[in-house]
Amino acid sequence: MSIDPAAAERLKELVGPKGFTEDPRQIAPHLLEWRGKYRGRSSLLLRPHSTAEVSRILAICDETRTPVVPQGGNTGLVGGQIPFDGEVLLSMSRMNRIRDINSDGMSAVAEAGVILAQLQDAADRADCYFPLSLASEGTCTIGGTVSTNAGGINVLRYGNMRELVLGLEVVLPDGRVLDLLHALRKDNTGYDIKQLFIGAEGTLGVVTAVVLKLFSKPVERVTAFVALPDVRSAIALLHRMQHAIGGLVSAFELMPRIGLDMVLAHIPQTSDPLQTRAPWYVIAEATAGANSPLQEPMEQCLAVAIEDGVATDAVVAASETQREALWRLRESLSEAQKPEGGSIKHDISLPIAAIPDFLLRGGAAVEKLVPGVRAVPFGHLGDGNVHFNFSVPQGGDSAAFLARWEEISRVVHDTVQDFGGSISAEHGVGVMKRDEILRYKGTGEVEAMRVLKRALDPHNILNPGKVIEL
Ligand SMILES: Cc1cc2nc3c(=O)[nH]c(=O)nc-3n(C[C@H](O)[C@H](O)[C@H](O)COP(=O)(O)OP(=O)(O)OC[C@H]3O[C@@H](n4cnc5c(N)ncnc54)[C@H](O)[C@@H]3O)c2cc1C
C-alpha cells in the first residue's frame, strides 16, 4: 500500500519541517531490524515533539484510515517496530525529555523517546537507581521497553517493566489522550488500564510518557563468575546464594562454554576469567545498601558450593573494572554469535526446575533435524528465561539453515509447551510469533485479545498485523 497523498500532506503540515522526512537515506536505518531479519518499507517518517502532536497525528490517521507503526530505538527482536506494508513510521526520538526526577517520592517521569541509559544516568545523578538493564540500553527507549514489557538482567530482584511502571500517558488510536500519569503505589479504583498498554507492542495506543519507580542506589555490590558441571547445579547454586545473601541476588545469568568461546574469539578485549574449562558458567550479582557487606557471604557460599561439587571454580570481581569485564562476557554473547553464521533464536521461559530436562530434550530434537547444529542456550536463569539459540553447524550453509527457522521453532515451541512454558519470555510477539501464539494460547484468550484490539482500534490503524491479526 502507499500513503494517501492528501493524508501525507496534512501530516507533514501538522509536524512542520523538523517533524518529518521523506528522504529514503534517512528513513532506511529505521526499516531494518537489528539482526537484519526484517526489512520494511515506508515513504514517510514522522518525528512528533509533543503529546499534542501525537494526538493530532493519530486523529488524522484514524480519519483517513492511514496505518501507523510506532518506533522507539528499533532494537525490538520480533519485527514489531518495522512497517512491512508502507505504513507511516512514527518515531518517538524527539520526545526525549525527562520531565521530572523525584528522589523523595522515588519516581521519575520520562517521555517515550528517552534512551534507557539516559534515564539510568539521570536517576544515578539524583542518588537513585533505575534497575531495568539490557544489552541494548544505549539505544532502546522508555516507550519501547514499556511497549515490549522488557526484562533484562535485574528482573530476579526488581521485576520486568510491567512492575516498574507507576503511570502512563498514552494516545489512543483515534487521538484521545489518556492521562494515567499517577505516581501512586496503591490505587484500587477498578481496572488497571495502564497495564493494557504495557507489552501491547504499539497495537493499542502510543505511549508518550511514563512514571517509573526508582529505588535506593546499591552501595554494596558483589559480582561472581562461576564454573559449573551442569545446569542442575546452576539452579542449586541459585537457591544456595539466595539463602546465603538474604534474597539480595539481583542477577543470575547462565552461559554455556560454547558461548564463552564465541565471545573470546570475536569480541576484542575479552579474556577467560578462569584457568580451567567448564561446560557451564553463571554470572551472579548481589546488591545492597550501605553497611550490608556482601563479599564475604558470597565468597563463603561459593567456597562451600565448590567443596560440595555444585560448582567447580569461581572468581569474585575485585574492582569495578573486573566487574565490567565479567559482564562484557555475558552482554556480548548475542553480538559474538553473528560472525559464527546464521543463528536461530528462541526467547522462552519455563518453570525453573524444568530447565535442565527441557534443554536436553529440546536440544536433542533440534539435533535430530539438523545434525551438528550448535546449541547456545543462555540467559536469565533466575527468571526461568532461556535464549535457546542455535548456530548453524560449523562450515554449514547459513542461508539453508535459516530457511528452516519455522520448522526448528515448531519443534522447540512444542517442547516448551510440553514443559508448561511460554514461547515469548521478554521479546514479545510482533510478527515473528503472531501466528505461533494461536497454536499455544487458548481460544478464549485469543478472542479476548481481538475484542480488546477492536474496541480500542476499530479501524485497525495502529501497528496492524502485529501481535494479533483481526
Ligand atoms: C542486543 C540486544 C539485547 C537485548 N536484550 C534484551 C533483554 O535482555 N531483555 C529484553 O526484554 N529485551 C531485550 N532486547 C529487545 C528489547 O525488546 C528492546 O531492546 C527494547 O525493549 C525495545 O525498545 P525500543 O525502543 O528499541 O523499541 P522498538 O524496537 O522501536 O519497538 C519495539 C515495539 O514497541 C513498539 N513501540 C516502541 N515505542 C513505542 C511507543 N512509544 N508507544 C507504543 N509502542 C511503541 C513498537 O511498535 C514495537 O512493536 C534486546 C535487543 C537487543 C538488540
Side-chain angles (χ1 to χ4, degrees), residues 84-125:
F84 287 96
D85 199 20
E87 297 94 331
V88 169
L89 200 44
L90 185 69
S91 165
M92 302 304 287
S93 56
R94 279 174 78 215
M95 290 196 62
N96 59 1
R97 283 163 295 232
I98 295 176
R99 292 185 190 167
D100 185 38
I101 295 258
N102 182 337
S103 48
D104 291 334
M106 298 299 263
S107 63
V109 185
E111 291 185 344
V114 169
I115 303 290
L116 174 56
Q118 287 169 354
L119 196 267
Q120 293 166 343
D121 289 348
D124 189 64
R125 283 194 299 275

Side-chain angles (χ1 to χ4, degrees), residues 343-389:
S343 75
I344 295 182
K345 299 170 190 266
H346 305 94
D347 163 45
I348 56 172
S349 70
L350 295 144
I352 294 179
I355 291 177
D357 289 340
F358 165 82
L359 291 178
L360 285 178
R361 206 199 302 167
V366 177
E367 167 74 29
K368 204 167 154 195
L369 287 179
V370 186
V373 74
R374 292 174 292 165
V376 192
F378 66 93
H380 319 298
L381 187 72
D383 314 325
N385 178 188
V386 181
H387 298 310
F388 196 38
N389 296 356

Side-chain angles (χ1 to χ4, degrees), residues 388-420:
F388 196 38
N389 296 356
F390 291 90
S391 283
V392 62
Q394 203 98 47
D397 176 344
S398 278
F401 177 63
L402 291 177
R404 299 183 70 185
W405 192 305
E406 276 180 30
E407 182 194 355
I408 290 170
S409 289
R410 173 52 51 86
V411 166
V412 169
H413 290 164
D414 281 356
T415 313
V416 169
Q417 174 90 340
D418 286 350
F419 280 91

Side-chain angles (χ1 to χ4, degrees), residues 34-35 69-82 90 92 112-115 132-137 139-153 155 160 170 197 200-209 253 330-331 334-335 347 380 385 387 425-428 430 462-463 466-467:
W34 183 77
R35 291 175 302 202
V69 176
Q71 191 177 91
N74 191 15
T75 66
L77 296 173
V78 289
Q81 72 281 15
I82 303 294
L90 185 69
M92 302 304 287
V114 169
I115 303 290
L132 189 77
S133 178
L134 337 170
S136 55
E137 64 198 20
T139 313
C140 68
T141 61
I142 294 302
T145 50
V146 166
S147 301
T148 56
N149 183 26
I153 54 171
V155 173
N160 50 21
V170 62
F197 302 95
E201 300 179 54
T203 59
L204 300 180
V206 174
V207 174
T208 45
E253 297 286 308
R330 162 65 185 90
E331 281 167 355
S334 297
E335 195 64 43
D347 163 45
H380 319 298
N385 178 188
H387 298 310
E426 58 177 11
H427 294 165
L462 199 55
N463 220 354
K466 310 289 171 51
V467 182

Side-chain angles (χ1 to χ4, degrees), residues 30 45 68 205 234 251 258 263 266 279 312 338 360 378 385 430 440:
H30 296 265
L45 173 74
V68 192
I258 184 175
V263 170
H266 302 298
T312 51
K338 282 186 180 177
L360 285 178
F378 66 93
N385 178 188
Y440 304 107

Side-chain angles (χ1 to χ4, degrees), residues 246-453:
L248 300 175
V249 181
S250 51
F252 199 84
E253 297 286 308
L254 183 72
M255 281 180 79
R257 178 71 215 190
I258 184 175
L260 180 60
D261 282 338
M262 288 176 179
V263 170
L264 298 177
H266 302 298
I267 307 293
Q269 290 156 11
T270 54
S271 59
D272 192 337
L274 298 172
Q275 303 290 327
T276 50
R277 291 172 68 89
W280 295 95
Y281 299 90
V282 148
I283 294 192
E285 188 162 275
T287 56
N291 304 320
S292 313
L294 295 167
Q295 185 99 4
E296 207 184 302
M298 175 66 97
E299 282 175 357
Q300 262 175 18
C301 170
L302 292 172
V304 177
I306 292 171
E307 219 171 275
D308 295 350
V310 167
T312 51
D313 200 358
V315 60
V316 173
S319 65
E320 183 57 24
T321 313
Q322 269 186 21
R323 173 181 172 262
E324 280 168 16
L326 293 181
W327 272 113
R328 194 165 155 76
L329 300 174
R330 162 65 185 90
E331 281 167 355
S332 321
L333 235 167
S334 297
E335 195 64 43
Q337 264 193 286
K338 282 186 180 177
E340 291 286 329
S343 75
I344 295 182
K345 299 170 190 266
H346 305 94
D347 163 45
I348 56 172
S349 70
L350 295 144
I352 294 179
I355 291 177
D357 289 340
F358 165 82
L359 291 178
L360 285 178
R361 206 199 302 167
V366 177
E367 167 74 29
K368 204 167 154 195
L369 287 179
V370 186
V373 74
R374 292 174 292 165
V376 192
F378 66 93
H380 319 298
L381 187 72
D383 314 325
N385 178 188
V386 181
H387 298 310
F388 196 38
N389 296 356
F390 291 90
S391 283
V392 62
Q394 203 98 47
D397 176 344
S398 278
F401 177 63
L402 291 177
R404 299 183 70 185
W405 192 305
E406 276 180 30
E407 182 194 355
I408 290 170
S409 289
R410 173 52 51 86
V411 166
V412 169
H413 290 164
D414 281 356
T415 313
V416 169
Q417 174 90 340
D418 286 350
F419 280 91
S422 164
I423 66 163
S424 183
E426 58 177 11
H427 294 165
V429 175
V431 283
M432 183 190 266
K433 295 179 184 171
R434 183 195 61 199
D435 298 335
E436 279 292 274
I437 61 168
L438 302 180
R439 184 175 166 90
Y440 304 107
K441 279 186 179 286
T443 46
E445 195 178 356
V446 168
E447 200 35 49
M449 286 171 73
R450 288 207 176 98
V451 166
L452 275 172
K453 172 71 176 165

